[in-house]
Amino acid sequence: MMLAKRWSAVFTGLFLLIVLSGCSFISDPKSLMQTPQLTSDKASLISVIKSELKGGEIISPRDVRNNSSIRTPDLNNDGVKEAVVFYQTPDEAVRIHGMILEREGDTWALKARFDGEGQVLETFDILDLNGDGNLEIIAGFSRGGDGDEQQKGLTVYSYNAGNVEKLMALPYDYFMVDDLNQDGQPDITVVSLKREQFATVTTYQYADGSFQQLSQLELDDPVSEYYNAVSGNITPKLKGVILDASVGTHSAFSTIIVMKDGQLVNLLPSQDMTLKGYPILSGDVNNDGVLEVGMLEKPKGWEYISFDDIPWLVTYYQWDEKDGLKSVMQQYMDMAGRFYFNFPKEWRGNVTIDTKSDKNEHLWFIKTDTNEVVAEIRFFTPSEWEKNKADWQYLARERDTARVIGFLSHTDLKVNKGETEIKR
């Protein structure tokens, strides 16, 4: 039961670090019922789509980072917008379909239909994958459910002159579009996992009319699942991917993979190098254009305290080609998902959390050499907050208890200013 509570709290906290992105035309099919609030162009598009569904139902992808159900790009780079929408027909042998419509004057016209795969639309992106300036439709499908052996399939479609062509179809657990070999042309990296056995990471690039394999790497770690995957700059000059994996009942670790001389290379071959008791999302946490890996760190003085009582610090590391993992940022993360607090540079290694602190009541941040209190975070009842709000800065309010979380600096430190930031 304790482990279940720990994971529940952790994944609530993880959502603090997820940034929702992507173009959003209509995020929820139910909004189709709100046509009086739409512009005439959107209303016209919706009307045409509804007339072409023929008993089908518009669907949105499961991916919370980009779950809009209708996209309106210029697929073939001709200056005229197209609309792409997926819909389902539960009673037919092929359950998922796609439609492409094109803007014609004041209305829209259906130009193509195409079939999807599986029972569920997992993800839906529109990107240029072959570097020709035209956009491809990238869709992930699954059979549904949340089982450990859920099968997913990634399909890439191209559109030209009213025709839809399937360029690639293969199994996947995660995929990322980037330019890992830095040749100026996009590539797509696919992660496929055989749970508790091994994983393969494969990078493909479009050439000579099809997607060609650039490199493949096998990872032998017994991974339960990858809960996060991100691509980007590993160093200012080197691109790659970071995979955050859960292993066993509650532990996690991260793998950094880069492309050197056209080959994928694992920079962290031992999971012990990044093993942690909580899952932490890797990403560009400090917004400097380089990805970081997060590691748990016990505040000084908490070495013999029970794991679940510790107010954990998270230290983020970047890869340095000379020195390996190098610390670049530290934060206090509230594992219940209420806020996190980025430390200023001068605090790192010089500030800890007083052992009399309770992470759900009152936290004192103190200097390690003098025990001087430099800042506090406190949970107030509504009536207590009214009495103290003149001195404390408001952070957040708990939904279940209505308690107010406040911040107090004993120096000139301010929240949401400069490098020091408390987010909620």
Side-chain angles (χ1 to χ4, degrees):
M1 178 64 71
M2 184 63 71
L3 291 178
K5 289 182 178 179
R6 179 188 302 172
W7 277 87
S8 176
V10 168
F11 281 107
T12 301
L14 289 179
F15 279 101
L16 283 171
L17 304 179
I18 294 177
V19 178
L20 303 180
S21 61
C23 60
S24 177
F25 181 69
I26 298 173
S27 298
D28 184 352
K30 293 181 179 179
S31 65
L32 295 177
M33 304 301 293
Q34 301 172 354
T35 52
Q37 300 175 6
L38 302 176
T39 65
S40 59
D41 185 47
K42 292 179 181 179
S44 173
L45 173 57
I46 290 169
S47 176
V48 174
I49 290 174
K50 290 173 68 175
S51 69
E52 296 291 349
L53 286 177
K54 302 186 185 307
E57 178 185 354
I58 294 176
I59 55 175
S60 298
R62 272 187 174 182
D63 188 352
V64 296
R65 294 168 298 180
N66 192 356
N67 65 351
S68 57
S69 59
I70 302 174
R71 318 286 171 89
T72 55
D74 179 4
L75 289 176
N76 50 10
N77 198 27
D78 62 355
V80 178
K81 281 190 174 183
E82 283 80 29
V84 183
V85 58
F86 281 92
Y87 64 100
Q88 63 181 355
T89 53
D91 297 330
E92 296 182 4
V94 178
R95 182 185 179 96
I96 297 180
H97 313 270
M99 281 195 300
I100 298 177
L101 303 94
E102 189 171 294
R103 191 81 164 83
E104 291 186 352
D106 295 331
T107 187
W108 295 77
L110 177 66
K111 293 298 181 179
R113 295 182 192 266
F114 56 97
D115 290 338
E117 309 287 341
Q119 306 295 310
V120 174
L121 179 64
E122 293 287 341
T123 186
F124 169 23
D125 288 295
I126 298 177
L127 300 165
D128 180 6
L129 290 182
N130 57 17
D132 65 355
N134 296 334
L135 302 175
E136 282 70 52
I137 301 167
I138 308 103
F141 305 97
S142 76
R143 293 182 178 179
D146 297 307
D148 289 342
E149 298 300 326
Q150 180 183 174
Q151 293 182 338
K152 293 182 181 179
L154 176 66
T155 305
V156 178
Y157 305 91
S158 67
Y159 172 73
N160 186 40
N163 296 313
V164 176
E165 179 185 358
K166 187 183 295 185
L167 298 181
M168 181 172 68
L170 72 169
Y172 83 104
D173 283 275
Y174 270 94
F175 73 90
M176 293 148 284
V177 177
D178 211 309
D179 181 12
L180 297 193
N181 61 359
Q182 301 186 69
D183 67 347
Q185 182 174 326
D187 47 48
I188 182 167
T189 299
V190 178
V191 181
S192 295
L193 173 65
K194 185 69 174 179
R195 285 167 174 78
E196 308 297 347
Q197 296 183 44
F198 63 91
T200 56
V201 181
T202 311
T203 300
Y204 301 89
Q205 192 172 62
Y206 192 86
D208 300 325
S210 64
F211 282 92
Q212 308 290 327
Q213 179 177 307
L214 293 182
S215 181
Q216 186 174 83
L217 178 67
E218 186 167 304
L219 305 175
D220 296 327
D221 297 308
V223 171
S224 302
E225 67 171 337
Y226 290 110
Y227 61 87
N228 180 49
V230 61
S231 68
N233 280 88
I234 302 301
T235 73
K237 297 181 179 180
L238 198 61
K239 284 205 166 190
V241 302
I242 301 180
L243 305 177
D244 296 325
S246 58
V247 58
T249 56
H250 57 85
S251 297
F253 71 95
S254 300
T255 301
I256 301 178
I257 300 169
V258 299
M259 184 168 282
K260 290 185 175 181
D261 300 321
Q263 297 299 312
L264 295 172
V265 178
N266 183 3
L267 297 179
L268 301 174
S270 171
Q271 63 177 259
D272 293 340
M273 299 174 72
T274 57
L275 192 65
K276 43 215 163 196
Y278 280 117
I280 300 169
L281 288 178
S282 297
D284 183 8
V285 182
N286 60 357
N287 298 314
D288 67 348
V290 178
L291 301 177
E292 289 87 32
V293 170
M295 296 290 295
L296 288 179
E297 183 176 325
K298 288 183 180 180
K300 184 177 180 181
W302 292 80
E303 290 80 3
Y304 303 104
I305 307 298
S306 171
F307 186 98
D308 291 311
D309 293 331
I310 296 173
W312 288 96
L313 300 178
V314 179
T315 302
Y316 287 93
Y317 295 83
Q318 289 179 356
W319 181 260
D320 183 275
E321 293 196 71
K322 180 181 178 180
D323 300 323
L325 292 173
K326 184 177 180 181
S327 171
V328 295
M329 197 183 84
Q330 191 173 65
Q331 69 180 206
Y332 170 70
M333 180 186 289
D334 175 64
M335 292 300 178
R338 294 165 293 200
F339 60 90
Y340 62 91
F341 176 21
N342 292 340
F343 280 17
K345 287 182 179 179
E346 60 270 21
W347 279 27
R348 299 174 204 165
N350 300 314
V351 171
T352 186
I353 298 174
D354 197 319
T355 54
K356 69 174 181 286
S357 300
D358 183 329
K359 60 185 178 182
N360 293 308
E361 296 291 341
H362 200 152
L363 294 137
W364 290 270
F365 297 88
I366 61 174
K367 291 184 177 180
T368 55
D369 54 352
T370 64
N371 289 333
E372 176 190 351
V373 177
V374 292
E376 301 177 49
I377 293 175
R378 181 179 168 188
F379 294 70
F380 295 91
T381 65
S383 60
E384 289 173 337
W385 176 250
E386 290 302 315
K387 297 177 182 178
N388 291 275
K389 65 182 182 181
D391 299 320
W392 291 71
Q393 295 184 67
Y394 175 89
L395 293 182
R397 185 183 296 271
E398 288 186 312
R399 290 184 179 181
D400 53 347
T401 67
R403 290 194 304 174
V404 176
I405 305 171
F407 175 83
L408 176 65
S409 173
H410 291 262
T411 64
D412 60 353
L413 181 66
K414 302 294 183 182
V415 297
N416 297 318
K417 179 182 179 182
E419 187 183 56
T420 305
E421 188 174 13
I422 291 185
K423 294 190 177 183
R424 48 191 188 272

